[in-house]
Amino acid sequence: MNEIVLTADSILKKFPGVIALNGVSFDIRAGEVHALMGENGAGKSTLMKVLSGIYNPDEGAIHHRGKKVIVKTPKEARELGILLVHQELSLSPELSAAENIYLGDWPTNWFGIVNKRKMNAAAKTALDELGCNFGPEVLVRNLSIAKQQMVEIARTLVFNANVVIFDEPTGTLTTTEKDQLFEVVRSLRKKGVAIVYISHKMDEIFEIADRITVLRDGEVQCTVNTCESTIGEITNRMIGRDLDQYFHRAKSEIGNQLLSVNKLTIRGFFKDVSFSVRSGEVVGLYGLIGAGRSEVAETLFGVRRQDSGEIIFNKQKVSFSSPKQAIEKGMALVPEDRKSQGLILGMGGRHNMTLPHLSLYSNMGVPNVENELQIFEDYKTKLEIKTTGPEQMLSDLSGGNQQKLVLAKWLCANPKLIILDEPTRGVDVGSKSAIHQYIATLAEQGLAVIVISSEMPEVIGVSHRILTMAEGRLVGEYTGKEMTEENLIAAVSGLTTA
Amino acid sequence: MAILKKASETAKKHGLIGGFAIFLAVVSFSSPEFLTPGNILDVIRQVSITGMIAIGVTFVVITGRLDLSVGSMLTLLTVLVVDQHNQVGPAIAIAYTLFASLLIGIVNGYLIGFMRLNSLIVTLAMLSLLQGATLFYSGGSNVNVTNPQETWFRFFGRSEFVDIPVPVWIFFFSALVGSFVLLKTNFGRWVFSIGGNETASLFSGVQTRGVVLIAYVISGFGTGLAAIIMGSRVMGAQSTIGQGYELTVLSGIILGGTSMLGGSGTIWRTVIGVTMLGFVQNGLLLLGFAYYVQWLVTWAVIILAVWIDLAAKRGRVFV
């Protein structure tokens, strides 16, 4: 058994309204790949941010090579040899690969001038070791996502990392790129680096990891050796109950066709997307990040304009030039990112809820506060939103309650079609279940629902029909018993074409 | 650190008002004129011009943008109203002036709202353009109303209604209307939502481009009204008459506590802010400080108010 490099001991981390980590203990050995699994919001990323100095824990200790350490900043973590390869790449696009590799620590000469020759030479060695076919002086904005990731990994080599944390590294990679990444991970392991690998993707974990730790609701569920475990066991640990109880598929009567999309195209984002949705139906749209799902939704809703193709909504050919028109016709979009697109966090619940359809709540351009309060209280009860009142600033609410408010905001105008883009991202398990249940209720009331999600169990659990999307194209359609994780993965990774 | 945090919060809540009260006490002690009704009315009458502009600019600031063109807009419009008064009479001169103010607002608003250009740059460029336009229009010479004693145009700046100067009445009613529009109407709601989160507002069907445009039109219109008062008060204008107003207006708004980051603020805060600033400037003159000291004070007020605002937001006084 190899030496333990890094230990987290009973880490507690609270955010307003939620305990992100509740006494988490965890260790990583030299020369192993330790996978960290859990659903969105289980606390994986928070734990990694604590270990790499981005967050400071409220309680608990971190030991590095047997010594207690306090990691206050990412720089201190880097000095200990702990490096994070981020989920969202954190490179400066206008700087060269070498400059990014050494970012924050450029080698200088006596006069404080950057020693480019030394920097480029060292960066080249690292890039060559990773098998990269580009030089250190190329600008990062000219590199593909996979190559940018290699630049981040090269940082770990030049800083001689002994702990490397990968946070969802394959989210946007193709299959070949993923294989290249795994080669690199294996060679790091061979060098004796301790690797933490965070991912949702079961098959990847079982391919690369030596041990697996499962987190749920901020607590460790188990730590097992990969060879002694199965996908089924890990899934149960992650979810904590059977899928059947966990999801609610609508038992609705499927009605007439409400939306039909024909060869919709925006160059550079998606091409020839055609599908239809009927009232009472829940259609899942599954695909990896960057597949073009959100862009399709935004085009339907009038945020973007299509280059070609047509949209027929409620028997009318439509082409919305702004969300306002889409809203007036009875469409609603719960966007992907509630903080930047969904809500105005500095305002209260009442103001947020009525914003999309203020004219319905006002006379001669003046909002009727009583009507607003009424609808707020209605939905507060209906969706069990925990808030102190209609004026409480939304920035003080937990993620789950914020998300319920976004839902309420769109439902209070009785739309005909609602598009939910990642409706449960970063939401606690309780709220998640409530949201799923509510999606079913909506369909049963006759709404047409499109659910865009990167979480396979979610898409499978709530949808009547699933469309899969990869690299800007629709690549498959599944109903009933065909809606399995195997089929969806195969479809989006290009193994079959339906 | 906790003490500092508390201090900065207290400073934000009471500090400026408290500091202002101390200042009032000091000035009235050393200059008996200061708190006489005559002087107070004088200050408020002066403030009403800054205030009229500031009410409009407050809308712009709450959307998270700036309007630096109001100073030279005031110059151009005052020159315009005075000169046209002599040529076509007061009524048409006023109509021209208000029309021009709306037009300038539309140009600013279109460039910023629809073309999505940076508001700082656009209005700074407009400041330059309007300065040039003024010189082109007047040839650089002063203009004066030829019959200041007879014209009814004197009503706006020189007359009184129940012992209170008319400009103060106009200021007061503009503040009432502005406050109603901002706090009670759909439009006002949209202004706040854009300042709070522009993307989310767009996703919520708010016509963000149009709302921003109208905010600039309001800013222009307020400046147009101010120019009419100014022209009537002075009965003349030269090409530097509005110089520096953009900064006085901005410091009044900031002093009132409206955040430069957008999304919060009220008209009444702006009214209080510009009024306080007016008394400070008047007090400094009465204390015998040279005129240029006002500029130093403007600087200090802007830095202090922005600093306190930010310190309260991040919970620390220093970075």
Side-chain angles (χ1 to χ4, degrees), chain A residues 289-310:
Chain A
I289 295 158
R293 304 164 306 168
S294 301
E295 287 79 6
V296 170
E298 287 172 12
T299 311
L300 294 177
F301 197 58
V303 179
R304 297 169 187 263
R305 286 304 274 281
Q306 72 260 38
D307 293 326
S308 64
E310 58 175 15

Side-chain angles (χ1 to χ4, degrees), chain B residues 113-228:
Chain B
F114 283 78
M115 309 269 289
R116 333 248 350 116
L117 304 182
N118 179 290
S119 72
L120 183 80
I121 306 298
V122 167
T123 57
L124 207 54
M126 183 57 90
L127 179 151
S128 169
L129 175 71
L130 297 179
Q131 195 65 50
T134 307
L135 293 173
F136 175 76
Y137 181 85
S138 68
S141 52
N142 295 354
V143 289
N144 290 298
V145 171
T146 43
N147 53 347
Q149 297 308 320
E150 294 104 63
T151 174
W152 60 264
F153 183 59
R154 65 196 314 278
F155 169 78
F156 300 103
R158 294 195 167 187
S159 54
E160 292 180 350
F161 178 69
V162 270
D163 287 342
I164 291 175
V166 169
V168 178
W169 283 110
I170 300 177
F171 177 36
F172 179 72
F173 281 109
S174 302
L176 270 185
V177 172
S179 196
F180 176 80
V181 171
L182 188 62
L183 294 181
K184 299 287 178 195
T185 66
N186 293 356
F187 173 77
R189 197 70 74 78
W190 294 327
V191 168
F192 280 110
S193 82
I194 289 172
N197 184 342
E198 194 160 347
T199 311
S201 302
L202 179 74
F203 273 79
S204 300
V206 176
Q207 304 283 62
T208 52
R209 294 176 292 189
V211 172
V212 168
L213 186 141
I214 293 173
Y216 277 93
V217 171
I218 293 175
S219 176
F221 188 71
T223 311
L225 292 177
I228 292 164

Side-chain angles (χ1 to χ4, degrees), chain A residues 252-417:
Chain A
S252 47
E253 285 191 17
I254 311 278
N256 295 327
Q257 183 166 314
L258 184 72
L259 174 77
S260 133
V261 177
N262 200 357
K263 288 195 180 271
L264 202 63
T265 302
I266 292 186
R267 275 187 290 280
F269 289 103
F270 54 86
K271 191 160 191 288
D272 289 342
V273 171
S274 306
F275 66 95
S276 65
V277 184
R278 304 203 277 176
S279 44
E281 189 182 30
V282 182
V283 173
L285 190 53
Y286 176 76
L288 303 179
I289 295 158
R293 304 164 306 168
S294 301
E295 287 79 6
V296 170
E298 287 172 12
T299 311
L300 294 177
F301 197 58
V303 179
R304 297 169 187 263
R305 286 304 274 281
Q306 72 260 38
D307 293 326
S308 64
E310 58 175 15
I311 303 166
I312 294 164
F313 181 62
N314 208 10
K315 295 177 188 133
Q316 267 182 316
K317 194 176 162 191
V318 295
S319 179
F320 303 129
S321 59
S322 71
K324 184 172 191 269
Q325 297 172 355
I327 293 165
E328 280 163 1
K329 293 277 184 208
M331 234 190 239
L333 170 68
V334 173
E336 190 178 8
D337 183 345
R338 68 174 160 271
K339 289 205 168 104
S340 74
Q341 303 168 323
L343 295 170
I344 292 145
L345 294 176
M347 281 181 157
R350 166 170 72 96
H351 286 50
N352 268 283
M353 265 183 67
T354 55
L355 190 62
H357 11 260
L358 209 47
S359 55
L360 295 180
Y361 297 94
S362 52
N363 302 318
M364 320 247 306
V366 179
N368 181 330
V369 178
E370 267 174 38
N371 288 351
E372 288 188 307
L373 288 175
Q374 172 97 49
I375 199 83
F376 174 83
E377 292 300 333
D378 273 5
Y379 276 92
K380 186 184 160 189
T381 322
K382 220 187 263 184
L383 293 177
E384 294 169 354
I385 303 171
K386 289 192 196 75
T387 154
T388 56
E391 315 301 333
Q392 187 188 23
M393 285 224 265
L394 298 189
S395 46
D396 294 341
L397 300 188
S398 74
N401 285 309
Q402 288 179 353
Q403 189 68 9
K404 285 180 184 174
L405 233 136
V406 186
L407 263 182
K409 156 177 165 178
W410 287 109
L411 292 175
C412 65
N414 298 317
K416 298 187 184 74
L417 167 73

Side-chain angles (χ1 to χ4, degrees), chain A residues 418-475:
Chain A
I418 185 162
I419 306 169
L420 303 147
D421 195 351
E422 302 285 1
T424 61
R425 174 179 288 176
V427 157
D428 60 287
V429 175
S431 306
K432 205 165 179 170
S433 175
I435 290 171
H436 288 147
Q437 194 158 19
Y438 205 69
I439 291 174
T441 317
L442 292 176
E444 281 158 16
Q445 288 166 3
L447 259 81
V449 184
I450 300 176
V451 177
I452 301 173
S453 177
S454 312
E455 286 183 52
M456 249 179 314
E458 173 170 279
V459 182
I460 295 172
V462 302
S463 311
H464 295 120
R465 187 154 61 91
I466 298 175
L467 305 169
T468 50
M469 209 170 166
E471 287 162 41
R473 284 166 184 277
L474 278 187
V475 292

Side-chain angles (χ1 to χ4, degrees), chain B residues 10-150:
Chain B
T10 319
K12 188 174 161 65
K13 270 190 201 143
H14 313 291
L16 290 172
I17 306 279
F20 179 61
I22 293 169
F23 179 85
L24 283 188
V26 169
V27 180
S28 56
F29 183 72
S30 47
S31 166
E33 256 176 277
F34 186 56
L35 285 184
T36 58
N39 187 53
I40 290 176
L41 274 185
D42 254 3
V43 172
I44 296 178
R45 183 160 47 199
Q46 263 159 7
V47 159
S48 59
I49 292 177
T50 331
M52 290 297 304
I53 304 172
I55 289 169
V57 176
T58 302
F59 281 85
V60 170
V61 169
I62 294 176
T63 69
R65 290 166 170 81
L66 285 174
D67 191 345
L68 296 181
S69 66
V70 289
S72 58
M73 204 191 310
L74 180 68
T75 306
L76 174 67
L77 296 176
T78 311
V79 169
L80 183 74
V81 77
V82 169
D83 185 63
Q84 289 298 313
H85 177 276
N86 294 343
Q87 299 187 22
V88 294
I92 299 177
I94 289 170
Y96 280 170
T97 305
L98 292 180
F99 179 74
S101 76
L102 294 176
L103 199 69
I104 297 167
I106 289 172
V107 172
N108 273 338
Y110 183 82
L111 291 172
I112 294 161
F114 283 78
M115 309 269 289
R116 333 248 350 116
L117 304 182
N118 179 290
S119 72
L120 183 80
I121 306 298
V122 167
T123 57
L124 207 54
M126 183 57 90
L127 179 151
S128 169
L129 175 71
L130 297 179
Q131 195 65 50
T134 307
L135 293 173
F136 175 76
Y137 181 85
S138 68
S141 52
N142 295 354
V143 289
N144 290 298
V145 171
T146 43
N147 53 347
Q149 297 308 320
E150 294 104 63

